């Protein structure tokens, strides 16, 4: 079997890192893979570093929808038009499998609408068609009063998917949570396969779990990561704040950074916001951390690379009991309830301080589980089997060029 694997592939891309792991394993399992870069390719991106690949790497912008006799095209699809632009285009031209990384595609839809052209969708028309008049009314109210309330909260209640996935021959999600959102909205064969990811081959030294207790949040710093709730949790407990320091590591908009810095200063909480870092620096941050905090509300991901990295580090991990995070076994992570982030986070941190040996054991158990549950070789085997099943189910290749 030969696959054309559409994906963003730049070094900062988490989807690119995932794809590099999976295509390498597919090649080891005897499947021929051509990586097709799905990004809009500005000159600086073409010159930037990319992940390694076991075979050819091409740009979809250069090669159209036909790929040298590939039996099937696999499209990684996420909520970012620029990163997945040619998957959105070519899923219509050549039906294939869609690997869905986010549970709603509002941002991508808005990007497609803004890109123009004869095939550009109308955002409001798609929203109404997929979610109804109530969603359209809510969008218009938020647009006029508080756009952030729509983009960072309400979109979770109104997933839009069909405009992108209606022609997919099969869909892969990375959690049962995501599959439950897709199933009633898109009629296609569906598989839930745990996201492939890797971490340190050798376990990091056990966390100190002593003052100062270093808390760490990693990944793109969006409002739904609830960094403000971590600050509020510490601000509400002077003794806890005195023994903790909090580091926020990842890409962040200037206005969001300024807001977090101001809030932490006003609350007297020690917070460092680094901005984006390279892989080596991220590894060092994880090694120096005592506790990894991965909160979300709302939950817009099909799976979270950052929580997997946290578990693979062997540190105690605290997550929101929502979305894909709720599927992690309770024995492996501490969970906080949506709407109770600050109080539950304080309770989880006090439990770690009171019983550090138990917290280290939980972190070690989470690492062992993540190594098995998110193994790239298992993912490649499962997605290869799904591709074979989809191919056997019907004549997909009538449109192949």
């Amino acid at each position: 079997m030969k696959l054309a694997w559409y994906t963003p592939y730049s070094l900062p891309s988490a989807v690119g890192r995932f794809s590099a792991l999976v295509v390498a394993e597919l090649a080891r399992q005897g499947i021929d893979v051509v990586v097709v870069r799905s990004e809009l390719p500005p000159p600086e991106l073409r010159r930037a570093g990319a992940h390694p690949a076991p075979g050819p790497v091409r740009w979809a912008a250069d090669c159209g929808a036909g790929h040298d006799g590939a039996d099937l095209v696999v499209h990684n699809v996420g909520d970012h038009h620029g990163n997945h632009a040619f998957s959105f285009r070519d899923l219509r031209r050549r039906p294939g499998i869609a690997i869905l990384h986010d549970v709603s595609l509002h941002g991508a839809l808005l990007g497609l609408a803004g890109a123009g052209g004869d095939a550009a969708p109308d955002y409001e028309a798609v929203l109404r068609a997929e979610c109804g008049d109530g969603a359209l009314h809510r969008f218009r109210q938020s647009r006029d009063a508080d756009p952030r309330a729509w983009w960072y909260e309400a979109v979770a209640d109104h997933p839009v998917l069909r405009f992108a996935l209606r022609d997919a021959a099969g869909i892969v999600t990375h959690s049962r949570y995501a599959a439950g959102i897709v199933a009633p909205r898109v009629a296609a064969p569906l598989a839930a396969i745990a996201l492939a990811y890797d971490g340190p081959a050798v376990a990091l030294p056990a966390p100190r779990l002593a003052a100062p207790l270093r808390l760490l949040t990693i990944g793109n710093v969006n409002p739904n990561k609830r960094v403000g709730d971590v600050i509020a949790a510490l601000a509400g407990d002077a003794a806890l704040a005195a023994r903790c320091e909090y580091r926020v590591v990842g890409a962040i908009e200037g206005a969001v950074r300024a807001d977090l810095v101001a809030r932490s200063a006003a609350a007297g909480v020690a917070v460092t916001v680094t901005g984006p870092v390279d892989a080596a620096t991220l590894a060092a941050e994880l090694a120096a951390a005592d506790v990894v905090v991965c909160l979300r509300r709302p939950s817009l991901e099909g799976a979270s690379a950052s929580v997997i990295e946290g578990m693979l580090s062997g540190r105690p991990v605290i997550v929101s009991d929502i979305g894909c995070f709720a599927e992690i076994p309770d024995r492996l992570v501490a969970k906080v309830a949506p709407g109770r982030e600050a109080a539950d986070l304080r309770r989880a941190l006090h439990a770690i301080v009171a019983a550090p040996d138990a917290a280290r054991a939980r972190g070690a158990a989470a690492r062992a589980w993540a190594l098995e549950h998110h193994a790239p070789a298992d993912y490649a085997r499962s997605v290869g089997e799904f591709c074979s099943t989809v191919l056997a189910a019907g004549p997909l290749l009538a449109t192949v060029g």
Side-chain angles (χ1 to χ4, degrees):
M1 180 167 57
K2 183 173 183 177
L3 303 177
W5 186 278
Y6 276 59
T7 181
Y9 220 56
S10 64
L11 289 177
S13 169
V15 176
R17 175 176 170 179
F18 151 83
S19 287
L21 292 170
V22 175
V23 298
E25 289 295 342
L26 287 169
R28 278 191 277 272
Q29 294 173 21
I31 295 175
D32 190 6
V33 183
V34 176
V35 171
V36 183
R37 296 193 61 166
S38 59
E39 307 106 312
L40 290 172
E44 61 271 19
L45 185 61
R46 287 187 183 263
R47 293 192 296 267
H51 292 280
V57 177
R58 298 173 182 163
W59 289 88
D62 299 337
C63 58
H67 297 288
D68 297 340
D71 299 300
L72 190 62
V73 178
V74 178
H75 293 273
N76 286 274
V77 176
D79 193 25
H80 190 287
H81 171 242
N83 284 344
H84 304 277
F86 288 94
S87 281
F88 291 118
R89 183 197 72 177
D90 290 350
L91 260 169
R92 296 192 303 271
R93 296 183 176 185
R94 181 174 176 178
I97 286 176
I99 298 178
L100 184 65
H101 291 267
D102 298 296
V103 297
S104 189
L105 300 172
H106 282 271
L109 172 59
L110 190 68
L112 280 164
D118 294 340
D122 177 86
Y123 180 84
E124 291 194 358
V126 172
L127 177 62
R128 183 181 185 188
E130 296 203 22
C131 303
D133 289 333
L136 179 59
H137 177 68
R138 191 175 179 187
F139 165 69
R140 287 175 173 170
Q141 281 189 317
S142 297
R143 178 191 60 195
D144 297 335
D146 182 9
R148 293 172 67 87
W150 174 258
W151 292 107
Y152 293 115
E153 296 178 23
V155 292
D157 299 327
H158 306 290
V160 291
L161 296 168
R162 285 197 302 274
F163 78 94
L165 303 181
R166 61 177 177 258
D167 296 318
I171 300 171
V172 174
T173 70
H174 292 141
S175 60
R176 297 187 303 276
Y177 160 69
I181 292 173
V182 173
R185 291 172 171 85
V186 185
L190 180 62
I193 306 171
L195 180 72
Y197 223 68
D198 67 347
V202 178
L204 297 171
R208 299 174 306 106
L209 300 183
L213 194 70
R214 179 174 287 193
L215 315 182
L216 178 66
T217 292
I218 61 174
N220 291 340
V221 186
N222 299 316
N224 73 322
K225 284 205 170 177
R226 316 307 296 191
V227 170
D229 287 331
V230 182
I231 295 172
L234 297 176
D237 187 325
L240 192 61
R243 69 176 296 145
C244 291
E245 58 183 31
Y246 182 33
R247 295 181 65 81
V248 181
V249 177
I252 184 170
E253 294 179 1
V256 177
R257 179 199 287 265
D259 176 64
L260 294 177
V261 170
R263 291 170 69 175
S264 62
V269 175
V271 178
T272 300
V273 182
T274 68
V277 300
D278 60 22
T281 303
L282 177 59
E285 290 282 356
L286 284 163
D290 292 298
V291 180
V292 178
V293 182
C294 293
L295 304 187
R296 295 290 190 281
R297 180 160 61 89
S299 178
L300 302 173
E301 303 153 293
S304 169
S306 58
V307 78
I308 298 169
E309 283 197 286
M311 289 190 292
L312 289 170
S313 75
R315 273 73 196 124
V317 177
I318 303 173
V319 304
S320 296
D321 195 9
I322 188 173
C324 60
F325 302 89
E327 297 179 19
I328 303 170
D330 292 351
R331 63 184 175 82
L332 301 177
V333 296
K335 294 180 179 178
V336 304
R340 291 186 46 85
E341 284 87 356
D344 284 2
L345 182 57
R346 282 193 291 268
R347 187 159 38 250
L349 291 172
H350 278 297
I352 290 170
V353 170
D357 289 342
R360 291 188 192 97
R362 175 181 268 188
R367 171 177 162 80
W369 180 84
L371 283 170
E372 179 179 355
H373 190 66
H374 297 286
D378 290 345
Y379 186 99
R381 190 172 301 108
S382 295
V383 83
E385 291 171 355
F386 185 64
C387 288
S388 296
T389 299
V390 169
L391 276 171
L396 294 177
L397 302 184
T399 58
V400 171

